Every structure is written in C-alpha cells, then in structure tokens.
Amino acid sequence: MYVSMKDMLWHAHNNNYAVMAINCVNMEQAKAIIQSAEEERSAVILNISPRQMKAHGHGEILAPMIRGMAERVSVPVAFNLDHGANLEDITAAMSYGFSSVMIDASGFAFEENVRRTQIVASMAHGMGLSCEAELGHVGLAKEADNEKEDLYTNPEQAREFAERTGCDCLAVAIGTAHGSYPKGFVPRLDFERLALLKETLQMPLVLHGGSGAGEENIKKAVACGINKINVCTDLFKHARIATAKTLEENPEIDYMDLCIAAQNAMKEFIKSYMRIIGSSGQYDFEQYQGPELD
Ligand code: 13P
C-alpha cells in the first residue's frame, strides 16, 4: 500500500513502537526496504533528501518506481522528502508523487519556523500528504559532544509549535546527530526531556540520526515515545561493506550479482532494526484494523 505517514505513525504512537524511515537513492535500496517491510509485516518509510536527489536518485524517477513497488505489497509504505528546506524542493517532491514531505526550518527562529511549517503543512494536507517538521536542531555527528543542550527541543515551545502548525509528526532534538560519530563516541540521550515531550504533545515524535546511537539508546527512545527513526549512514555502510567483501571473495563477479549481494546485506540490517524498534509483526492482518490505501 502506498500511503502517507500519517496513519502509520498514529498506529505506532497508539501502540508504542517506531517505524523506520530509511534513506533510499536507488532501486536496490528501494527493493531491500520494501521487501524487508513485507517480510517483517511492518510499515516503512523511504526518505530522500534534496541533496541526495540532486546527486543521484532523482525524485521524478524514484517516486513512480517506489509507488509501483509499494502497491505490490500489503504493508503501508510512504515516500517522504527528508529535510526539505525550501518551497522549490518541496513543491517538486509533491509534483513527483511523494506521499509525504518534511519542512526543516529548524535553523530559523521560532516564529519563522512556525510560519514556514504552516505553509507547507497546509499545502501537504490539501494534497492528502503528511508533513513532518523539526523544532530544536539535530546537528552533525562528527561535531557531537553531548553538551549542545541549548539546541534541544523545549516541550512547552513544542506544544505551541504543533498546535499552530498542524504538522503530523515532529522531529525533536534530544542528543542524536546525523552521520558517523567519532570513534568510540556514544551519544547521551536526554530521555527525561523525551518523556516530557511525549506527555506534553501526545503525538508521533521523530528521532533523526538513528545510526550508531546504540541498541540500548534506540530501545529506550522508543519506550519513551519515539515513533519514527531516520536511518541513513548505517544502511549505506552495510551496503558498502557487503560490496567490498563480495568483490574480495569473487573479483570477477557479475555486476548484477554484486548489486544483489548488497541488497541482501541491507535487508538483513533493516529486518533486525525493525525487530529492535517493535515495528515487526504490527501489520499481521489478523490483528490489524487500519486504514485503506490513501
Ligand atoms: P543517520 O545518517 O545518522 O542515520 O541520520 C539519518 C537522518 O536522520 C536522515 O534525516
């Protein structure tokens, strides 16, 4: 089923688990992600950023391919623009057939973030798409130091933000960061703040920087109220390692078989992550009474 993120994230919110949102720039990744979801009976979100679209996976090509794959499986699959920063990128994603968009105006002051998010949320909702926003700011893992609490999300401000913008889910800053952390660094997450955010907002919450945060942190984040976890770096790493290993073992391997080896390694990683965050088995249709295709 090709759907927006809205109903699947409310299902996750109501049942205390999280859905993976995985960056995808090509067919092998799309197949790995959607097949994993189907086999695990899990909802899933495919993400792509404007930078990734410009560099490699053009949205105009990927959106119909992903939609076609999603319509051939029985679990909910969404395609979301990750970190949309301007109206040009966001309206382009809408016209390509994405089922969801994120507006990331977290680098602006509060009122400007509200204003930009209001515009995008109302456009998205008018087209039947979901809208993610960010308050507080999730930075880069290579600059992580566990001390940037001034950028963490304030619960009272977040309540006002969610009410005024009508966003469907909110990315919060609680200590994770994007990319690879320095060797040996484990992020310290502010679980107290997260629990308070959940209690105050009572809506689906998003964790960016799902790579390298450690299984214990991830499980606790889900237990405290995270319903969508963005993962990019770890997936790309699994594909790279599998490609290098396969080539080393068989330097003459056919290129298609090399792609399939990477795809299978990505599937293994995704399926085990889905089990950790509790999305596996949620769309076992004997129990599931959810929405139909949007
Ligand atoms: P990682 O690359 O750290 O997994 O972060 C992904 C992300 O948050 C994309 O928005």
Side-chain angles (χ1 to χ4, degrees):
M1 302 190 278
Y2 188 60
V3 296
S4 83
M5 305 195 303
K6 186 175 174 189
D7 290 329
M8 69 164 80
L9 291 185
W10 276 99
H11 187 267
H13 169 81
N14 291 331
N15 294 281
N16 309 312
Y17 70 93
V19 176
M20 284 184 92
I22 311 169
N23 287 72
C24 168
V25 300
N26 64 19
M27 183 185 76
E28 289 73 27
Q29 290 185 317
K31 282 173 79 177
I33 295 166
I34 294 170
Q35 285 175 8
S36 297
E38 178 78 338
E39 287 168 28
E40 287 296 311
R41 312 302 314 149
S42 167
V44 81
I45 298 155
L46 293 89
N47 259 344
I48 189 164
S49 68
R51 184 189 69 79
Q52 289 171 325
M53 278 204 277
K54 279 162 199 149
H56 185 65
H58 201 293
E60 197 165 11
I61 296 165
L62 284 187
M65 182 187 78
I66 287 169
R67 185 182 188 125
M69 287 183 192
E71 284 171 349
R72 293 162 75 142
V73 297
S74 50
V75 292
V77 177
F79 188 30
N80 178 48
L81 178 70
D82 195 22
H83 295 286
N86 56 57
L87 274 184
E88 196 185 338
D89 289 338
I90 290 168
T91 52
M94 289 170 165
S95 74
Y96 298 152
F98 282 51
S99 69
S100 182
V101 289
M102 175 187 186
I103 160 74
D104 180 359
S106 64
F108 291 96
F110 182 77
E111 282 301 327
E112 184 61 10
N113 191 352
V114 169
R115 193 184 72 81
R116 288 176 183 240
T117 304
Q118 276 171 340
I119 294 169
V120 175
S122 66
M123 281 168 63
H125 293 157
M127 297 176 75
L129 314 184
S130 49
C131 174
E132 174 181 349
E134 178 167 324
L135 183 69
H137 187 66
V138 180
L140 298 176
K142 61 182 182 200
E143 295 163 3
D145 64 6
N146 280 334
E147 304 297 335
K148 295 216 171 91
E149 290 184 21
D150 53 324
L151 298 178
Y152 287 5
T153 311
N154 174 295
E156 275 312 316
Q157 239 188 10
R159 187 213 308 260
E160 183 186 338
F161 184 87
E163 279 171 7
R164 288 176 61 192
T165 62
C167 62
D168 298 292
C169 59
L170 185 67
V172 293
I174 56 159
T176 54
H178 295 103
S180 297
Y181 294 102
K183 209 171 159 51
F185 181 90
V186 181
R188 194 172 61 230
L189 307 195
D190 189 343
F191 294 113
E192 252 175 64
R193 182 184 300 262
L194 175 57
L196 188 56
L197 280 161
K198 192 65 167 187
E199 196 185 305
T200 310
L201 290 166
Q202 290 298 322
M203 68 181 283
L205 299 181
V206 182
L207 187 74
H208 280 243
S211 299
E215 187 171 327
E216 207 183 309
N217 270 339
I218 292 296
K219 278 186 169 156
K220 208 162 164 196
V222 175
C224 291
I226 289 294
N227 306 113
K228 168 178 181 276
I229 304 188
N230 283 23
V231 179
C232 178
T233 305
D234 276 352
L235 183 80
F236 282 52
K237 191 169 99 185
H238 277 80
R240 172 174 53 78
I241 291 170
T243 303
K245 185 167 171 278
T246 309
L247 269 178
E248 196 185 339
E249 286 166 4
N250 183 1
E252 300 300 321
I253 190 169
D254 177 75
Y255 175 66
M256 184 180 75
D257 294 330
L258 186 61
C259 293
I260 293 171
Q263 186 181 305
N264 288 338
M266 289 189 280
K267 268 181 80 173
E268 222 175 286
F269 164 71
I270 294 165
K271 289 171 79 167
S272 74
Y273 206 108
M274 285 175 165
R275 288 178 208 136
I276 290 169
I277 65 176
S279 68
S280 293
Q282 295 286 345
Y283 286 81
D284 192 343
F285 290 127
E286 267 158 36
Q287 349 168 335
Y288 177 59
Q289 302 287 321
E292 289 296 309
L293 177 64
D294 269 354

